[in-house]
Amino acid sequence: MNPNLPTLGVGFGFRAPYLSSLFLHREEVDFLEIVADHYFDPVPEKQRELELLADHFPLIPHGLSLSLGSAEGLDKNYTRQLVSLIHRLKPPWWSEHLAFTRAGGVEIGHLTPLPYTWEAVEAVCKNIREVRSQVEAPLLLENITYTFRLPGAEMTESQFLSEILEHTDCGLLLDVTNLYINSVNHGFEVADFLNAIPLERVVQLHFVGGEWEQGQLIDTHSQPTPDAVWEVMRDVLRRAPVKGVILERDENLPPFPDILAELTRARQLWQGVTE
Amino acid sequence: MDWFNDNFIANMQGPDFLWFFGLCSIATLVYCARRINRLYSGFSTLPRIPEKPSPYEIAYLRGGAREVLWVALLSLYQSGYLTLAPATLRGRVFTATEKIPSPTELNSIERSVYSDFASPTSSPNLYLNSAMRLEVLCHEFKTSLQAKGLLVTTAQNTIRIKTGWCAFLLLGGLGGYKILIALSRGHSNIGFLLILEALTTVALLILCGVRIRTPNGEEYLKRLQQAYSKLRTTTTVGFPPPTDDNALLLAGLFGMSVFSATDYAPLSGMYVASVQVNSAGNGDGSSCSSTSSCGNTSSCSGGSSCSSGGGCGGCSSSS
Amino acid sequence: MSLADTQRLIALLATDASLRTQLLSDPLAVAARYGVDAKTAQTLAKEIAEEIERFARSLIGKRRNEVCKLLPRTKRVLGNCFDDLFRLYAKTTLPNGTKKHLQDAVQFADFLHTKLAAEKQIPLWIAELARYEASWLEVRTHPCLLIRGFRALTKETAHLEANPSLNPALRPRRTLALWLRLPGKERIYHTYLTLF
């Protein structure tokens, strides 16, 4: 992992309704994360939007459907478009998920957990090697939430994550909300997880709030960040050499001042632990 | 030998000359296009959008002093220094309120506009004359925008015109000479050549005509309008109205017509009327939203943006 | 069981409600059909079938949320029925590619029109409205000339949109609608003409 990555600061996952507000408050947003899929084969309006954003903010492309965990390999069309976008933007890093979204010709349409097996480690590493042969920018892997764990696990999630990071020399996009949600739903301690992963590989964080439904916490990305997640973030910021923090609000979009308030809190939290 | 009537061009057959003329036209138009493009070659990248954009400068970029005037009128109206006098047969006019601004409260543009509009008058040339007076005060914007390669300078427009004239004289001369020769030889089938001449003239007018904004200027204005496009929802019925600062920005970016469904509707109507009376120049940019029709009988709403799908968040399973 | 087989089975379970039902009732049959060992099938049925069911429902919920945003007028007039109709559609259709939500919206509009309106389960004008909205989506995505014929798209439908609880017997009116977007351009030219 490249130790010389720039510190980008605090930002949010760009959503089109916030475009004008973003430009009215540019000084309060350090960088943006864009969903890569939104800019594949873009209509002229989206192309101009991408150029507009790229000229004014550091942009980090975040893939959704590369399906790094697919045993059958990467989708060539998706890979080609993602690589093209990354080459165009020249970001300091880019990110994808430790999951699969496609198998046996079926597009699942959402991030699906992998079995924690050596075979899965090998499949992920192979796919990462393939995509990294085409892209120089460092890749960060993001941890996902899971409603189920596949039987036959040969290791824990933290071990699975650690093995892949070490084998591929990738960085970690630690989604502290996902971590918290999994700890609540599956009954483990966040601290134990953090102690078991290579925190020195954490480059970026995601944070946001979810919703309760039928006794389970869901990562709906639709609510303000709860206190428990802020505490996890504080712990990680204290221990890991984080370079960027992103608020990942997708749904139930609030007025932009609410977004800025969360960014300000994240910035103050970060400054507080580094002083 | 009569060099005038007996040469390569004079002796060319009609269809052959049409091809020849066509090729000459294309070559001339390409040359003109390249010559004009070289005028702006020093400005390859667009300037960044400023953190605090000036509604006045944007208005000037979009439509000159006439648009700056209306931003100032809106600002004075918002601040309570101007109001609308009761409507008369001649329409509505501005008038001063009891609130008198101190010299430091207004910028130079607002002061000039206030002095022009404080006394109610329905002079048809009021807006035009006021805008002309503002040109001097807007000189700073003009210089700044020209320095950034966004507005065409007088010198550049002169070159455009000269290039166009030279090309016109060349092609017009060539075609005109051939028409003369054809008529003198008793041929009257000059229709296609006349059509080609007309098309070439139109192409030259488009290519070499006077412009206000450079290609970068057009692109920069579109970029500004796109960056602040979401502010337009604040001018839609059912949405919270824009803040005062945002309203000035909207006026600068899109013109006062954007307020037709808001509390500023009377001003919007007056703006449209003044544009119709005093229309000159090619004014503002697109009056249609970038993705909707500029046509007629349509129900334009086609739903929301189609390319912004979801993120990677989960979804509750209940509907 | 290999990783590829496991993933294939999970993908099928997540997207096929009938397969999930069958897994619960007869895991051995599922095992035989998909080349899965019996123990794995039984473990899946016993331990995580409920979670997979919840996951599957959330997938449909996610798709529905995105399609709602793309067809807001249709969503407004259908109200709560939108969710039920979408679930009906989603059982049999799965989009793919990088613009899957767009594809979902267009296919859902087509489903409303070719299936539900044809079987008179929903008023024709609502299905036509969905088709109309989907046409806008298509032309925004790809520059083209689009000409579509509608049977119930008139000024009356605008009134019905504001009052969707009314359900008068609309006289079918043939309407021709045209959209044009040139390559590389954003502006869409649109008009429609009610013929007879």
Side-chain angles (χ1 to χ4, degrees):
Chain A
M1 192 64 213
N2 184 352
N4 299 319
L5 293 176
T7 301
L8 296 184
V10 175
F12 70 102
F14 174 73
R15 302 290 174 261
Y18 287 140
L19 178 61
S20 299
S21 303
L22 172 64
F23 274 89
L24 287 171
H25 298 95
R26 260 171 59 199
E27 65 279 8
E28 297 177 68
V29 179
D30 298 326
F31 75 111
L32 297 172
E33 189 180 78
I34 56 161
V35 174
D37 301 41
H38 293 176
Y39 299 97
F40 291 167
D41 192 22
V43 295
E45 188 185 349
K46 288 303 274 186
Q47 178 61 34
R48 290 156 61 87
E49 178 183 275
L50 181 66
E51 286 164 9
L52 178 65
L53 295 175
D55 280 351
H56 294 84
F57 297 93
L59 295 186
I60 302 294
H62 184 57
L64 294 184
S65 305
L66 186 55
S67 199
L68 283 172
S70 276
E72 61 195 31
L74 301 176
D75 177 84
K76 291 203 176 353
N77 184 39
Y78 187 96
T79 308
R80 178 184 52 79
Q81 294 189 83
L82 179 62
V83 166
S84 171
L85 179 69
I86 294 170
H87 283 157
R88 209 171 343 135
L89 293 178
K90 298 182 179 36
W93 62 78
W94 61 286
S95 55
E96 245 289 4
H97 302 83
L98 206 46
F100 75 104
T101 58
R102 176 179 27 86
V106 176
E107 291 266 359
I108 302 170
H110 191 60
L111 307 164
T112 311
L114 293 163
Y116 302 140
T117 62
W118 289 107
E119 190 185 2
V121 168
E122 187 50 45
V124 171
C125 291
K126 179 167 170 273
N127 289 334
I128 288 176
R129 277 195 299 272
E130 184 182 334
V131 73
R132 290 193 71 184
S133 69
Q134 304 173 54
V135 174
E136 269 191 43
L139 166 61
L140 308 187
L141 299 174
E142 182 182 357
N143 55 310
I144 66 165
T145 58
Y146 43 90
T147 52
F148 58 89
R149 279 181 287 198
L150 291 165
E154 294 164 344
M155 61 189 87
T156 63
E157 183 194 359
S158 53
Q159 286 169 328
F160 181 73
L161 184 59
S162 303
E163 287 294 335
I164 291 171
L165 291 175
E166 296 298 335
H167 274 91
T168 58
D169 197 27
C170 284
L172 179 56
L173 165 50
L174 184 61
D175 191 314
V176 293
T177 301
N178 287 354
L179 171 57
Y180 173 72
I181 286 174
N182 287 339
S183 74
V184 166
N185 290 341
H186 301 285
F188 63 83
E189 293 293 327
V190 166
D192 293 341
F193 185 94
L194 292 178
N195 289 337
I197 60 170
L199 283 174
E200 68 277 8
R201 288 188 177 274
V202 175
V203 174
Q204 185 188 316
L205 304 184
H206 271 170
F207 71 102
V208 75
E211 289 179 22
W212 283 98
E213 186 196 283
Q214 294 174 3
Q216 284 239 324
L217 198 45
I218 311 289
D219 62 330
T220 53
H221 293 199
S222 61
Q223 298 296 326
T225 309
D227 289 339
V229 172
W230 286 114
E231 284 310 307
V232 175
M233 199 192 316
R234 183 198 304 276
D235 193 22
V236 175
L237 286 170
R238 200 168 39 81
R239 298 163 63 180
V242 173
K243 302 291 185 185
V245 176
I246 285 284
L247 171 62
E248 210 186 9
R249 186 74 178 253
D250 289 339
E251 300 288 338
N252 186 27
L253 299 182
F256 197 66
D258 293 4
I259 298 288
L260 291 180
E262 291 211 60
L263 298 190
T264 302
R265 186 170 173 182
R267 199 173 278 116
Q268 287 168 346
L269 192 70
W270 198 353
Q271 281 164 1
V273 300
T274 52
E275 274 161 10
Chain B
M1 192 184 286
D2 180 353
W3 61 268
F4 189 80
N5 289 299
D6 184 16
N7 56 59
F8 154 70
I9 288 174
N11 294 336
M12 214 185 274
Q13 295 293 320
D16 294 337
F17 181 78
L18 285 177
W19 277 108
F20 176 69
F21 185 82
L23 286 171
C24 287
S25 299
I26 291 170
T28 306
L29 288 170
V30 166
Y31 171 79
C32 291
R34 291 182 70 170
R35 174 122 172 75
I36 285 166
N37 273 344
R38 271 205 301 273
L39 288 175
Y40 316 119
S41 60
F43 304 95
S44 53
T45 53
L46 287 178
R48 298 185 78 190
I49 292 173
E51 297 218 357
K52 301 277 179 233
S54 160
Y56 290 107
E57 191 177 44
I58 294 171
Y60 191 82
L61 174 67
R62 190 171 53 78
R66 189 191 67 197
E67 294 295 331
V68 171
L69 165 66
W70 276 97
V71 175
L73 283 169
L74 178 62
S75 176
L76 291 166
Y77 184 83
Q78 281 176 344
S79 307
Y81 298 125
L82 287 182
T83 186
L84 293 177
T88 66
L89 283 173
R90 289 194 175 182
R92 304 204 72 164
V93 296
F94 287 97
T95 186
T97 63
E98 290 168 359
K99 187 176 171 188
I100 309 292
S102 70
T104 52
E105 277 176 295
L106 304 179
N107 61 41
S108 56
I109 291 170
E110 288 161 358
R111 275 198 298 278
S112 169
V113 171
Y114 180 77
S115 68
D116 285 341
F117 285 83
S119 304
T121 171
S122 55
S123 160
N125 293 326
L126 174 60
Y127 294 100
L128 188 61
N129 294 339
S130 189
M132 283 167 62
R133 276 190 283 278
L134 280 183
E135 267 300 341
V136 175
L137 294 170
C138 294
H139 181 73
E140 180 194 330
F141 299 143
K142 186 174 180 178
T143 313
S144 162
L145 292 167
Q146 284 177 344
K148 291 177 196 166
L150 302 177
L151 283 182
V152 180
T153 63
T154 309
Q156 286 167 339
N157 265 329
T158 304
I159 293 174
R160 292 179 71 99
I161 293 167
K162 280 185 181 166
T163 305
W165 270 111
C166 290
F168 177 73
L169 288 171
L170 176 68
L171 293 172
L174 178 63
Y177 169 71
K178 186 62 178 173
I179 288 171
L180 206 62
I181 294 293
L183 289 174
S184 71
R185 292 181 183 181
H187 301 302
S188 57
N189 52 341
I190 56 172
F192 282 123
L193 182 54
L194 284 171
I195 291 171
L196 265 184
E197 287 256 41
L199 287 173
T200 310
T201 305
V202 169
L204 281 173
L205 277 170
I206 293 170
L207 196 55
C208 304
V210 168
R211 290 279 181 276
I212 295 177
R213 288 183 292 273
T214 63
N216 266 11
E218 296 288 348
E219 191 55 37
Y220 182 71
L221 179 61
K222 277 190 198 163
R223 199 171 246 217
L224 279 170
Q225 290 174 334
Q226 183 176 20
Y228 297 106
S229 56
K230 305 295 181 196
L231 286 181
R232 291 187 77 153
T233 56
T234 59
T235 63
T236 310
V237 173
F239 286 84
T243 61
D244 284 354
D245 285 344
N246 287 351
L248 293 181
L249 192 54
L250 280 167
L253 284 163
F254 302 108
M256 288 295 295
S257 53
V258 76
F259 296 113
S260 59
T262 70
D263 290 344
Y264 298 130
L267 277 79
S268 178
M270 292 163 72
Y271 165 80
V272 171
S274 77
V275 164
Q276 285 165 353
V277 167
N278 295 312
S279 70
N282 64 348
D284 48 53
S286 167
S287 59
C288 296
S289 78
S290 61
T291 54
S292 71
S293 162
C294 282
N296 24 39
T297 60
S298 66
S299 156
C300 281
S301 163
S304 59
S305 161
C306 66
S307 294
S308 61
C312 54
C315 183
S316 62
S317 54
S318 59
S319 55
Chain C
M1 192 169 151
S2 73
L3 179 66
D5 288 336
T6 305
Q7 290 181 338
R8 187 171 73 105
L9 182 59
I10 294 297
L12 287 168
L13 285 170
T15 53
D16 186 343
S18 61
L19 184 62
R20 290 196 296 277
T21 309
Q22 195 184 12
L23 178 70
L24 281 175
S25 61
D26 191 356
L28 295 178
V30 170
R33 189 168 152 201
Y34 291 98
V36 172
D37 61 274
K39 185 164 177 254
T40 302
Q42 280 165 333
T43 307
L44 285 175
K46 191 171 151 203
E47 292 180 12
I48 61 171
E50 195 183 314
E51 283 86 355
I52 292 182
E53 179 66 37
R54 190 179 301 168
F55 181 67
R57 283 206 307 271
S58 77
L59 291 181
I60 293 182
K62 185 172 179 175
R63 287 169 63 188
R64 182 212 63 227
N65 283 352
E66 294 306 322
V67 170
C68 273
K69 291 176 200 167
L70 294 172
L71 301 176
R73 291 166 75 183
T74 306
K75 162 72 178 145
R76 205 161 43 240
V77 300
L78 281 174
N80 291 335
C81 293
F82 185 97
D83 296 343
D84 296 330
L85 294 174
F86 188 85
R87 268 201 296 273
L88 196 62
Y89 149 80
K91 276 184 190 166
T92 55
T93 317
L94 201 59
N96 55 41
T98 54
K99 296 197 192 298
K100 50 173 77 70
H101 297 306
L102 195 71
Q103 201 185 74
D104 236 355
V106 171
Q107 287 176 350
F108 178 57
D110 191 55
F111 171 80
L112 288 177
H113 190 261
T114 55
K115 185 137 173 54
L116 299 183
E119 292 170 12
K120 299 200 186 338
Q121 291 186 47
I122 60 170
L124 177 64
W125 72 270
I126 293 181
E128 296 278 74
L129 177 65
R131 263 185 78 222
Y132 181 71
E133 279 199 291
S135 301
W136 273 100
L137 295 177
E138 287 179 75
V139 82
R140 278 205 191 105
T141 321
H142 298 293
C144 60
L145 169 65
L146 201 63
I147 303 175
R148 292 258 154 93
F150 295 87
R151 279 179 292 150
L153 188 74
T154 65
K155 286 177 194 161
E156 292 162 321
T157 56
H159 172 64
L160 285 173
E161 270 191 73
N163 303 282
S165 55
L166 298 173
N167 191 14
L170 274 182
R171 182 168 71 86
R173 305 274 295 273
R174 306 277 166 177
T175 305
L176 203 61
L178 182 146
W179 291 262
L180 172 65
R181 183 161 85 80
L182 297 170
K185 301 291 180 193
E186 292 171 29
R187 187 171 291 187
I188 298 172
Y189 299 93
H190 169 64
T191 188
Y192 70 80
L193 186 64
T194 301
L195 298 171
F196 55 89

